[in-house]
Amino acid sequence: AYIGDFRFIEQNYPLTRQLNGERQLDKALREAVMALEPRNLEVRFELADLERTETVVLAVAIERERVSREAFAFPQGVRTKLIVEATLQIMLYDLQEGTLLESHPVSFAINHVLKDEPDDIEPVALMLLERLYLGEAGGEGGLIAMAADAIEELEPAGPGGLRFQVAELNFNDRIEPVTDEAGEAALLRQRFGQRFSSLLAEQTGRQVVPFTRGYAIGHQLPGRFTNGEAFSLSLPEPDYAFEIELQQLAKGQSEDQLVFHTQLNFAFVEPFTNDVLIQGDYRMGIFKLLSADRIRSDDWSAHEDSVESLFESLIWQLQSPDRAWHDAHARNAGSFQQFNKKKDLFNDQ
């Protein structure tokens, strides 16, 4: 399965769709899960029996695929660096109630260097992505094996517990020229909203309702079994929500380094009362060595890394606020106090 708006499936997951054309990934996942002895689950592969008292369905969906490329001209020849990344979501939902119960992200990346600069990197990227999903010979070390290991250790959360969701992810007009180069704004909003949600679940272990802004109708998330049967999944209402506006993506230079700078407005709210618990502008930059040897640069991947770094830092601050970090990156003088008051929500008591 693929997470996100169906309109953007081909754009978000072009290589994965090719790789799974004959359901190669589906078969590998099924074989890996069949070999498991889950500690806390009884896994069955037949279609869910809606007459059973308990109908918890486990689904694995692809959330992210990314390929970045740079080329360098050295005395010994041109070298091309490729980075291939993918993220899966392991999701549990109650089919009878039509409600998502929880989701768990699993990520992996491969770095690879070519001894030339091919005009078409797709064949190499496809080969690397196959290795990323399926691992080396024997199926060890790939993302599917990692997902199977996670399923084996999965311990479903009990009833109750707080739920979080990214309710809004918007772009300020000032970053439109940058995002126009990378693709359709709605696609990028979806990608960033999904990424923050995945990082939040991964770093905090909290229950995170998927980001659905722009393609779910209300809180109904449409889906389809592999046999073609359609269903609609009801998403639970979040107890707390995040509202994010990307305000600036900029590129600059500091001595011998390029700086990719991100600024965003970050709000943490309680939807039922409309109370704003955290709000402020935050900024962060990542550095990239300025090299005269670089003949092809992937600036958009660097911008994405800058956004993701700020996302990761904000999530760490939700758990463990650090006054020095807020002094350096927050424009709101009361930022540290706001985060400090709410840190218990993101830590086990």
Side-chain angles (χ1 to χ4, degrees):
Y2 302 90
I3 293 179
D5 191 331
F6 185 78
R7 293 174 300 164
F8 302 133
I9 294 295
E10 294 293 343
Q11 293 164 273
N12 275 332
Y13 315 107
L15 298 179
T16 301
R17 296 271 289 177
Q18 287 187 56
L19 191 59
N20 201 33
E22 297 182 0
R23 302 208 174 277
Q24 179 183 2
L25 302 182
D26 293 344
K27 293 173 185 175
L29 178 63
R30 183 183 178 92
E31 290 173 2
V33 175
M34 286 181 69
L36 298 178
E37 296 182 1
R39 300 176 185 275
N40 304 296
L41 298 171
E42 178 188 358
V43 180
R44 298 175 180 269
F45 286 93
E46 64 269 17
L47 286 176
D49 179 358
L50 295 181
E51 300 302 319
R52 288 171 59 98
T53 303
E54 188 175 347
T55 53
V56 175
V57 176
L58 184 148
V60 178
I62 296 167
E63 179 199 78
R64 185 190 199 203
E65 169 194 307
R66 188 174 81 164
V67 177
S68 62
R69 170 189 187 182
E70 291 189 317
F72 300 83
F74 297 120
Q76 63 270 38
V78 174
R79 298 292 183 266
T80 300
K81 181 179 75 171
L82 294 180
I83 301 176
V84 179
E85 306 169 69
T87 300
L88 302 177
Q89 284 281 353
I90 301 168
M91 300 184 292
L92 291 175
Y93 58 92
D94 187 322
L95 187 62
Q96 195 169 41
E97 296 295 328
T99 304
L100 179 75
L101 301 175
E102 55 189 276
S103 61
H104 304 269
V106 183
S107 301
F108 195 36
I110 288 179
N111 295 327
H112 187 74
V113 176
L114 302 172
K115 292 185 177 180
D116 54 13
E117 187 186 11
D119 293 331
D120 182 10
I121 65 164
E122 185 174 294
V124 179
L126 194 61
M127 177 270 292
L128 292 174
L129 194 67
E130 182 176 19
R131 187 192 306 170
L132 183 149
Y133 281 120
L134 301 178
E136 302 295 342
E140 296 183 0
L143 187 57
I144 286 178
M146 293 170 62
D149 290 343
I151 291 170
E152 188 165 38
E153 300 295 330
L154 186 63
E155 184 173 356
L162 296 175
R163 297 183 189 275
F164 302 84
Q165 185 182 35
V166 178
E168 298 282 349
L169 197 144
N170 298 307
F171 293 161
N172 185 287
D173 292 344
R174 286 184 295 173
I175 69 169
E176 283 187 357
V178 180
T179 56
D180 284 346
E181 296 177 10
E184 189 172 340
L187 182 154
L188 296 174
R189 281 196 295 270
Q190 180 189 121
R191 188 178 298 169
F192 283 133
Q194 289 175 190
R195 192 60 187 148
F196 184 91
S197 302
S198 177
L199 291 168
L200 182 67
E202 186 174 17
Q203 290 179 212
T204 68
R206 292 300 181 261
Q207 298 182 51
V208 180
V209 180
F211 176 71
T212 60
R213 182 71 173 174
Y215 67 95
I217 301 174
H219 271 257
Q220 299 295 313
L221 187 62
R224 192 174 295 273
F225 289 119
T226 54
N227 69 347
E229 183 181 349
F231 66 93
S232 185
L233 183 63
S234 296
L235 301 180
E237 294 286 346
D239 298 288
Y240 295 95
F242 297 91
E243 298 174 356
I244 300 170
E245 182 188 59
L246 286 173
Q247 298 175 322
Q248 186 176 22
L249 297 176
K251 175 184 174 183
Q253 184 174 335
S254 176
E255 298 179 350
D256 61 345
Q257 298 187 94
L258 293 172
V259 184
F260 291 86
H261 174 266
T262 296
Q263 180 173 309
L264 57 79
N265 183 267
F266 180 80
F268 180 53
V269 303
E270 192 170 359
F272 299 108
T273 62
N274 292 321
D275 287 345
V276 179
L277 308 174
I278 296 173
Q279 185 167 33
D281 291 344
Y282 298 87
R283 51 195 169 181
M284 176 174 281
I286 64 166
F287 295 88
K288 191 174 184 179
L289 186 64
L290 185 63
S291 171
D293 300 319
R294 183 182 284 112
I295 57 176
R296 178 192 288 270
S297 179
D298 187 351
D299 285 355
W300 176 249
S301 290
H303 283 302
E304 280 192 296
D305 289 342
S306 177
V307 173
E308 186 170 319
S309 294
L310 186 47
F311 282 174
E312 289 177 333
S313 294
L314 286 165
I315 292 168
W316 284 121
Q317 293 305 309
L318 289 170
Q319 291 184 283
S320 183
D322 175 68
R323 189 182 296 275
W325 186 92
H326 289 267
D327 290 343
H329 299 282
R331 303 186 72 178
N332 169 19
S335 177
F336 172 76
Q337 288 79 7
Q338 289 182 339
F339 275 73
N340 203 42
K341 285 180 181 177
K342 297 303 171 185
K343 65 182 179 183
D344 289 347
L345 294 173
F346 301 92
N347 290 284
D348 295 328
Q349 303 299 310

